[in-house]
Amino acid sequence: MTANSYGFDTLAIHAGQEPDPRTGAVVPPIYQTSTYAQDAVGAPRLGYEYSRSGNPTRDSLQECLAAIEGGQRGLAFASGLAAEDTLLRTVCRPGDHVVIPNDAYGGTYRLFSKVAERWGVDWTAVPLDDIDSVRAAFRPGHTRLIWSETPTNPLLNVNDIALLAGLAHEYDAMLAVDNTFASPYLQQPLTLGADVVIHSTTKYLGGHSDVVGGALVTADAGLGDELAFHQNAMGGVNGPFDAWLTLRGIKTLGVRMDRHCDNAERIVGYLREHPAVASVLYPGLDTHPGHEVAAKQMSRFGGMVSFRAAGGPEAAVAVCNRAKLFVLAESLGGVESLIEHPGQMTHLSAAGSALEVPADLVRLSVGIETVDDLLADLEQALG
């Protein structure tokens, strides 16, 4: 099944998930096995030998991921960072250089600054919404990759995917886009020229805060084959039950994202008028510097909202601590609403660096609850 033949919701429900040929089960089985009986020496049945190398449940998920992102090859991993690490070590060598966002996710920053850098991969953090800064950061012959998040975590800046792809290809480099915040329902970077898409499937794709996973989807089958080799060689795969849970979540991605967006828009409107809020960060606002680009490359603006507390850092922490229906927790993209203080939680690894986030920032992952209940909770939390 491909994006050219079916609509998004049809692909999310059916791609890679045909009824089981033996029993007719409409949901793919969980192949909870580590190894497989072979028909003869050198003749594994259907190509399955060992579940690190291949598992039918994971294969179902990988086929679905490729279909909903409009890609040639999908690969599933144990976490988003396992996917990122596999991508880096597949396309980069010691001496290579990567351009990353100056407001990257804290875990991504840690991967570059504490792991890849020691392995000989250099990096430069620049505002990716400033194409001149990106071009100035390029080191011809050494820059292998532009690493984009759009919208970014947690400042919700927007990068022009088509523009970055053109620049990367001009220098014989690649563009990787972390599409976790938008999800493939709202944005499909491969159709805009990106070479590979990254996901923490823990977030919107899984959607229920009950599974951890990651994914890579490629526009080119050859790159997909290289990544698949490293997926097996490095071993950061997800288990069959995790793959099954992620598939289950993807089936309702479209209807969930519609509600996430509806609720987020109501909450943004409320926050903009509240005296305890200094500013609201959301790409759907026409005052957002990336609004026009977001409107061009996204179908809607997502369920993530950040704001800066008028009372400063102490007020931001107090809002997080007073929230009740909004659960104080890391992660995002689940059906339940979450609130966090990025500076002391998800982005603590960037403290003291050029990527440090404002101490008065609060990040909301707006869930799919009754929106009036969410608004009432914010009212009491904001005081």
Side-chain angles (χ1 to χ4, degrees), residues 246-304:
T246 306
L247 268 176
R248 184 191 64 171
I250 289 173
K251 288 176 186 287
T252 59
L253 178 61
V255 292
R256 286 188 286 107
M257 290 308 300
D258 283 336
R259 175 64 72 85
H260 285 300
C261 293
D262 289 344
N263 285 359
E265 289 166 8
R266 285 281 306 277
I267 285 170
V268 165
Y270 166 80
L271 292 173
R272 291 185 78 186
E273 304 299 325
H274 201 288
V277 175
S279 62
V280 180
L281 287 63
Y282 188 65
L285 292 171
D286 57 11
T287 55
H288 187 288
H291 175 70
E292 290 186 9
V293 173
K296 177 180 68 173
Q297 64 191 23
M298 300 175 70
S299 58
R300 293 186 73 180
F301 302 105
M304 299 302 300

Side-chain angles (χ1 to χ4, degrees), residues 89-107:
R89 289 200 272 169
T90 300
V91 304
C92 293
R93 301 290 183 270
D96 283 347
H97 172 251
V98 181
V99 178
I100 72 169
N102 67 344
D103 57 345
Y105 163 56

Side-chain angles (χ1 to χ4, degrees), residues 79-86 88 100-117 123 147 149 152-154 178 180-181 198 200 203 330-332 340 342-351 353 355-357 363:
S79 69
L81 282 167
E84 292 187 12
D85 182 46
T86 301
L88 274 178
I100 72 169
N102 67 344
D103 57 345
Y105 163 56
T108 300
Y109 167 73
R110 183 176 56 230
L111 178 63
F112 277 98
S113 65
K114 305 296 185 185
V115 180
E117 186 175 303
W123 54 277
W147 190 284
E149 294 176 19
T152 62
N153 179 8
D178 186 334
T180 299
F181 263 35
I198 307 152
S200 171
K203 313 304 193 296
E330 298 187 4
S331 197
L332 58 102
E340 66 126 358
Q344 297 185 53
M345 295 173 70
T346 53
H347 289 68
L348 183 60
S349 61
S353 77
L355 281 75
E356 183 174 7
V357 299
R363 191 191 75 181

